[in-house]
Amino acid sequence: AKCQCKVVPRERTNCGYPGISAAECKKIGCCFNASVPGVPWCYNAKAKKVKKVCPNDPYTRINCGHPGIKAKECTKKGCCFRAHPAGVPWCFYHRVMEE
């Protein structure tokens, strides 16, 4: 994404080789900006910001426990726990969402 290429010039980490073209740089998944001399022009994008959330739809839950698992044991494993509704996992994995 374009916003991930907005990296302060002095914080850029090199992603290419000397003399790499803009097209080749982008082809290998890197950012290119030749407007600032003395810093990498082909550089790595900023990492995406993500957060973990417990999914709202009980029918999309992916089981993280076992039948009869207690809430404390489930959350100790780093999973979500909701003891409802019947017929779906009560201990289940988080989903990773972009912020």
Side-chain angles (χ1 to χ4, degrees):
K2 210 170 198 158
C3 62
Q4 288 179 260
C5 285
K6 289 185 179 179
V7 178
V8 178
R10 70 178 180 279
E11 294 177 4
R12 292 179 184 173
T13 56
N14 198 8
C15 188
Y17 52 85
I20 191 170
S21 69
E24 186 63 28
C25 178
K26 290 174 183 172
K27 188 175 170 185
I28 60 172
C30 303
C31 301
F32 189 88
N33 182 331
S35 66
V36 182
V39 296
W41 290 357
C42 181
Y43 56 95
N44 292 300
K46 279 192 250 180
K48 291 180 181 179
K49 290 185 178 183
V50 294
K51 62 180 176 178
K52 285 182 169 183
V53 296
C54 295
N56 289 325
D57 182 354
Y59 300 99
T60 63
R61 294 176 183 175
I62 299 170
N63 198 355
C64 183
H66 54 79
I69 192 170
K70 302 285 184 236
K72 189 174 183 179
E73 186 182 353
C74 176
T75 54
K76 192 174 178 181
K77 289 177 70 171
C79 297
C80 303
F81 186 87
R82 290 199 190 119
H84 57 79
V88 297
W90 288 1
C91 180
F92 50 98
Y93 289 101
H94 290 92
R95 290 277 158 82
V96 176
M97 311 263 308
E98 279 188 48
E99 287 184 1

